[in-house]
Amino acid sequence: MITGELRNQIDKLWTEFWTGGITNPLTVIEQISFLMFARLLDITETRNEKKAERTKKPFKKLFDEKKQDRRWSHFKNMPAQEMLVHVRDKVFPEFKKIAEAGVPYGQYMKDAQLLIQKPNLLVSAVNMVDDLPLTEGDSKGDLYEYLLSKLTTAGINGQFRTPRHIIRKMVEITDPKIGEVVGDPACGTGGFLVGIMEHLLEKNTSTQGIIESDDGKKTFTGDMLKDADRKHIRNRMFHGFDFDGTMLRIAVMNLLLHGIDAPEIHYQDTMSNNFTERFPKMSEDFFDVILANPPFKGSLDFDDVHPDLLRKVKTKKTELLFVVLILKMMKIGGRSATIVPDGVLFGSSNAHLALREMLVDDNQLEAVISLPSGVFKPYAGVSTGILVFTKGGKTKDVFYYDVQADGFSLDDKRTKIDNDDLPDLINRWQKRNPKKDTDRTGKAFFVPADEIRKNKYDLSINRYKEIVYEEDEYDPPKEILARMKDLEMEIMADMDELEGMLG
Amino acid sequence: MKRTWEQVKLTEICSPKQWRTISMNNLKKSGYPVYGANGKIGFYNDYNHEQPTILITCRGATCGTINICEPFSYVTGNAMSLDNLNENRVNLKYLYYCLGNFGLQNIITGTAQPQITRQSLDYVSLPLPSLQEQKRIAAILDKADAIRRKRQQAIQLADEFLRSVFLDMFGDPVTNPKGWEVKSLGENLDFLTSGSRGWAKYYSNEGEKFLRIQNIGKNKLFKNDMAFVKPPNSAEAKRTKVKSGDILISITADLGRTAVVPDNFGTAYINQHLAIIRVKNLNSIYLSEYLASQGGQVQIQKLNRQGVKAGLNFDDIKSLKILIPPLDLQKKYEQIWLNRYKFKENYDQLTKKSGEIFNSLTQRAFRGEL
């Protein structure tokens, strides 16, 4: 549980980074992540040492005898100037060796560079990281999420953080289960994967396993998970790809702190030719569930795009190619919820049409959920929707839902408000019935696939939603005319009177 | 100003006061009216003024506006209320018109947020003739004000009249109670085009009219706020030049505003936010009014592509469903419309004049020349 005090501490550190000259929030998070990593290495080492002492069995040391001064516990109390030089020149280069030694998450840290240049800033950062409850099981993730919530500017390639409450609803709609394999082809900070993890814990926690904190927030311990389940979650379940090194590091740290200590997070442009070469298994017919918010405007190396994707939909638009890619990566029967800009739903180019035909005719398009255009503020005001689809089969009826409020104001501030359609969305989705949900003036309704085909595969909700019509009401023309005459007469009388007053 | 008229400080004849402001969340649906910065903003379960009182907007953009509150109303701190008016010396209505005439612009302070403070009101002084003279002036201005208001009402009624005639002749466009034949607009279309892009470089102070979204309304053409261009001699210019009888429709942002190009309008072009609809076997005025009606607007909103910006494409416009009453009936509506339209031009003139009379009288009244 992340307390108010801890939050204040993080906020304070944030301002210190600013005044210390590091203003890019991504860099700040990355630097803090490196320090957390340094501390986690020390924690692991200490734990192993204690275990070795008890069992009298030797273990593979991360830090050999001569390099004990690289450990967190050693340098954390150094004087400021000395600490800066030591961490920069000794500790960070050490990460590379450790990475090669094969700590599961080590490979992402090998390029670590200390960008902090003010000794005092480093001391503050180290002190704060030292205070973080990194050894306590369930709160570490929340803490990191709080750090990530400070990412309020979009990246160069248009990456932005998907709001967590939207992620949770997408997870609930696709409902991933233990034993399945899940992935995100453009994972960013790993939000979707973390969302799935939280969902699994919630589903597998007994009433006794719920820890309630003072402010009423519940933590789910996942006490009903079996050892085999945990092993699957840790090693095989989660897959993410991205081609932004900073994002990857953050994603790994995020998953790690949420209890997934060996996630398959890879540096990979999933659109590219070499995806199939490097990950032949994962690039085709592999996943049970894919959740994604792929980049909409990201630049694309067109010549490097895998020809399999272009054969289906010839375009340079990443938002279209990603949907094709997701279909390719999933097994038959695999489920996806993917955020797309509204243009995908009604665009009239050949590529747009081809993609929609593919979704409706060769796969099962399950739902189109229209989101209000402020959902991604303050990053972007773009209007979007969530496509829910299953690979293979043929579409019969498509569930539509018109989300008009998501519990937050739709301006740049995004302050919490009472109006929230999302719980109703889940409720209507779970109880959906094509025979009963036919009222097109309501928020949720079904549209038969044939009707969509007739409308040139237009998927936009406005095409099918019906607006409650109120007839125009006016008095009969003659009555209005009479009133006009009366008014004219009044005005005439008024003018006469006025004339009289002026004498 | 007549020399016999006494100059009196505002603070000598009343006590300006800012009352406690209530939070918007506490406003009720009914109860005593609440006055905010500029007029009524809602209701509340309490009042702080029993008598009609003069209110000066003292915060925000409308700073300096004068209102009078109803009896039994709640006045918030965004308006300065002139309490305890000395009615032996000053008439409420006189003070109201007098403040309006002299204006309070020169006592507004604050740059980011304009405001009028209790202190700055100390600098305001007013001419105060005898109470009897005050009442006479107030009565004259009240009359002139009433004429002005009624003129505006008359214009609204004229609009209402046209809509009412339309419904009476053709019935509601959606429910189609008279059972007219329904066709898509595409079937009666002769020509459809959207306006030119990037003509900013041709803007000039004089030249040909360049119609933009603000020039059209609900089957209405607004001629004020007109832009002018020196158009190039190009195919695009030929394509986007309007003819009399053309229906103009807005196709981005504020969708579905319409207007018909009248006879003798002169040369004019449209920009990219508008489209020209040229029809056959259909009356332009009828179609424009049809699209402007509640029923037409519902159809248009349904087609709205809710991208980053609202928009209609040609297929959307062609797919609009139109009721097709007999042509002579459409023609009959056009005649009534044109007739009223001429009327309306007169009305606009009269309204303008009635405003001028009011201003002229006010000015003279406080110069002591009435």
Side-chain angles (χ1 to χ4, degrees), chain A residues 313 315 317-325 343-344 349 351-352 355:
Chain A
V313 175
T315 182
K317 288 194 178 303
T318 50
E319 66 266 31
L320 301 181
L321 289 172
F322 262 107
V323 177
V324 183
L325 173 76
V344 172
S349 78
H352 280 96
L355 177 79

Side-chain angles (χ1 to χ4, degrees), chain B residues 9-11 117-125:
Chain B
K9 275 175 110 179
L10 179 65
T11 43
T117 60
R118 169 73 182 68
Q119 282 78 8
S120 59
L121 286 176
D122 270 339
Y123 298 105
V124 178
S125 57

Side-chain angles (χ1 to χ4, degrees), chain A residues 184-331:
Chain A
D184 180 347
C187 68
T189 60
F192 281 105
L193 303 178
V194 165
I196 293 173
M197 182 66 194
E198 284 170 349
H199 177 74
L200 292 177
L201 286 176
E202 211 172 306
K203 288 256 154 167
N204 291 285
T205 299
S206 65
T207 26
Q208 294 90 333
I210 302 174
I211 302 168
E212 204 163 334
S213 70
D214 298 340
D215 57 357
K217 210 185 153 193
K218 285 176 185 163
T219 305
F220 298 90
T221 52
D223 56 339
M224 283 154 71
L225 288 171
K226 298 184 200 75
D227 278 353
D229 298 341
R230 289 205 181 262
K231 212 173 150 203
H232 174 75
I233 287 176
R234 270 207 304 275
N235 300 317
R236 280 199 303 276
M237 181 160 187
F238 293 94
H239 301 72
F241 305 91
D242 209 299
F243 60 76
D244 179 325
T246 306
M247 285 292 183
L248 276 181
R249 277 192 274 276
I250 292 173
V252 170
M253 188 55 77
N254 198 5
L255 291 173
L256 183 65
L257 295 177
H258 279 92
I260 310 162
D261 52 13
E264 296 255 7
I265 299 283
H266 300 286
Y267 180 87
Q268 176 65 42
D269 177 357
T270 41
M271 206 105 288
S272 143
N273 261 319
N274 65 14
F275 183 37
T276 28
E277 289 158 27
R278 294 186 54 204
F279 302 96
K281 236 176 80 193
M282 293 177 207
S283 66
E284 206 161 348
D285 300 321
F286 182 74
F287 290 98
D288 295 291
V289 176
I290 292 184
L291 300 181
N293 180 8
F296 304 155
K297 61 162 195 189
S299 51
L300 180 70
D301 184 358
F302 190 67
D303 297 327
D304 189 39
V305 176
H306 197 282
D308 265 10
L309 305 178
L310 293 177
R311 204 172 302 132
K312 299 228 162 90
V313 175
K314 195 163 169 45
T315 182
K316 286 185 178 177
K317 288 194 178 303
T318 50
E319 66 266 31
L320 301 181
L321 289 172
F322 262 107
V323 177
V324 183
L325 173 76
I326 289 167
L327 281 169
K328 183 167 173 255
M329 287 166 71
M330 288 196 297
K331 288 178 185 162

Side-chain angles (χ1 to χ4, degrees), chain A residues 25-240:
Chain A
L26 268 178
T27 316
V28 177
I29 291 176
E30 196 182 27
Q31 293 293 311
I32 294 176
S33 304
F34 285 143
L35 294 177
M36 286 164 98
F37 176 69
R39 189 170 157 223
L40 284 172
L41 284 179
D42 191 30
I43 291 172
T44 316
E45 189 83 337
T46 313
R47 200 180 292 143
N48 286 343
E49 278 169 359
K50 280 191 186 143
K51 205 165 140 196
E53 211 172 291
R54 253 199 336 268
T55 57
K56 307 284 180 221
K57 276 184 199 156
F59 70 101
K60 193 165 175 279
K61 284 189 171 182
L62 292 170
F63 300 91
D64 60 40
E65 284 308 329
K66 279 181 230 152
K67 289 186 177 155
Q68 288 296 317
D69 61 342
R70 267 66 154 178
R71 290 175 68 167
W72 180 267
S73 45
H74 180 85
F75 69 74
K76 73 174 187 188
N77 292 324
M78 282 183 177
Q81 185 61 40
E82 199 183 320
M83 189 202 285
L84 182 73
V85 176
H86 181 77
V87 171
R88 188 182 60 209
D89 300 340
K90 299 233 168 90
V91 178
F92 273 48
E94 192 67 22
F95 289 162
K96 190 168 183 171
K97 286 179 202 134
I98 292 173
E100 280 156 6
V103 179
Y105 40 86
Q107 54 166 309
Y108 310 101
M109 301 300 158
K110 64 183 181 204
D111 306 320
Q113 265 190 334
L114 187 70
L115 297 177
I116 299 173
Q117 287 175 358
K118 281 174 67 177
N120 287 338
L121 177 57
L122 180 64
V123 173
S124 303
V126 165
N127 285 343
M128 191 212 66
V129 171
D130 202 50
D131 284 346
L132 296 181
L134 289 187
T135 42
E136 288 157 40
D138 305 308
S139 62
K140 306 181 287 199
D142 288 344
L143 179 139
Y144 205 66
E145 278 291 310
Y146 181 68
L147 268 178
L148 290 181
S149 72
K150 293 191 164 275
L151 286 177
T152 48
T153 45
I156 301 163
N157 272 326
Q159 317 102 310
F160 44 75
R161 193 170 162 268
T162 315
R164 275 11 186 190
H165 60 287
I166 302 285
I167 288 185
R168 282 312 299 266
K169 298 304 159 194
M170 289 168 70
V171 173
E172 281 172 47
I173 284 169
T174 46
D175 190 22
K177 295 175 185 68
I178 304 248
E180 292 189 316
V181 187
V182 302
D184 180 347
C187 68
T189 60
F192 281 105
L193 303 178
V194 165
I196 293 173
M197 182 66 194
E198 284 170 349
H199 177 74
L200 292 177
L201 286 176
E202 211 172 306
K203 288 256 154 167
N204 291 285
T205 299
S206 65
T207 26
Q208 294 90 333
I210 302 174
I211 302 168
E212 204 163 334
S213 70
D214 298 340
D215 57 357
K217 210 185 153 193
K218 285 176 185 163
T219 305
F220 298 90
T221 52
D223 56 339
M224 283 154 71
L225 288 171
K226 298 184 200 75
D227 278 353
D229 298 341
R230 289 205 181 262
K231 212 173 150 203
H232 174 75
I233 287 176
R234 270 207 304 275
N235 300 317
R236 280 199 303 276
M237 181 160 187
F238 293 94
H239 301 72

Side-chain angles (χ1 to χ4, degrees), chain B residues 5-270:
Chain B
W5 286 7
E6 192 186 355
Q7 278 285 331
V8 180
K9 275 175 110 179
L10 179 65
T11 43
E12 276 174 37
I13 49 170
C14 65
S15 20
K17 176 169 177 177
Q18 269 174 292
W19 290 79
R20 193 175 56 85
T21 300
I22 45 175
S23 159
M24 286 296 271
N25 301 334
N26 295 335
L27 291 182
K28 306 271 183 294
K29 292 232 164 62
S30 62
Y32 299 105
V34 176
Y35 284 78
N38 197 9
K40 270 189 252 187
I41 53 168
F43 299 92
Y44 192 50
N45 51 18
D46 197 7
Y47 60 86
N48 54 19
H49 285 79
E50 275 180 36
Q51 300 292 330
T53 307
I54 294 183
L55 311 177
I56 301 171
T57 306
C58 59
R59 273 180 206 154
T62 53
C63 206
T65 313
I66 320 286
N67 287 296
I68 296 179
C69 72
E70 285 171 23
F72 295 101
S73 46
Y74 193 99
V75 178
T76 73
N78 292 329
M80 189 76 73
S81 64
L82 304 186
D83 293 349
N84 307 325
L85 190 67
N86 182 347
E87 287 182 59
N88 296 326
R89 295 185 68 190
V90 60
N91 171 280
L92 181 88
K93 270 302 187 65
Y94 172 82
L95 182 59
Y96 170 74
Y97 288 119
C98 188
L99 286 170
N101 177 56
F102 288 110
L104 297 165
Q105 294 309 313
N106 53 351
I107 58 158
I108 293 177
T109 53
T111 42
Q113 169 84 319
Q115 56 168 355
I116 289 175
T117 60
R118 169 73 182 68
Q119 282 78 8
S120 59
L121 286 176
D122 270 339
Y123 298 105
V124 178
S125 57
L126 308 156
L128 218 55
S130 69
L131 205 52
Q132 199 190 353
E133 176 67 5
Q134 287 180 36
K135 279 181 188 157
R136 191 179 77 90
I137 291 175
I140 291 174
L141 294 180
D142 263 349
K143 209 28 107 187
D145 193 35
I147 295 173
R148 190 171 66 160
R149 277 172 215 257
K150 282 174 188 168
R151 277 279 161 232
Q152 275 155 4
Q153 257 180 45
I155 287 194
Q156 274 170 19
L157 272 182
D159 278 353
E160 233 174 87
F161 173 74
L162 284 173
R163 303 250 139 74
S164 160
V165 170
F166 185 89
L167 285 182
D168 197 51
M169 284 174 79
F170 307 113
D172 183 85
V174 171
T175 50
N176 191 9
K178 306 209 174 188
W180 307 118
E181 189 188 356
V182 183
K183 281 186 177 170
S184 65
L185 181 55
E187 291 174 72
N188 286 61
L189 201 61
D190 193 29
F191 180 66
L192 175 64
T193 195
S194 62
S196 55
R197 287 172 185 278
W199 269 32
K201 54 179 181 280
Y202 303 126
Y203 270 41
S204 75
N205 289 331
E206 49 192 22
E208 312 298 0
K209 293 189 255 310
F210 193 51
L211 297 169
R212 298 168 297 162
I213 208 159
Q214 57 264 58
N215 298 116
I216 64 176
K218 271 188 164 184
N219 188 17
K220 260 191 208 141
L221 195 66
F222 302 115
K223 290 173 198 162
N224 46 355
D225 195 11
M226 186 72 77
F228 295 95
V229 286
K230 290 225 160 79
N233 189 6
S234 66
E236 187 182 48
K238 271 190 202 115
R239 178 174 60 81
T240 61
K241 190 165 141 184
V242 304
K243 288 186 188 170
S244 75
D246 279 353
I247 298 133
L248 308 179
I249 183 168
S250 61
I251 52 172
T252 55
D254 189 1
L255 297 182
R257 294 180 177 213
T258 63
V260 176
V261 180
D263 291 339
N264 307 320
F265 184 60
T267 313
Y269 300 86
I270 54 167

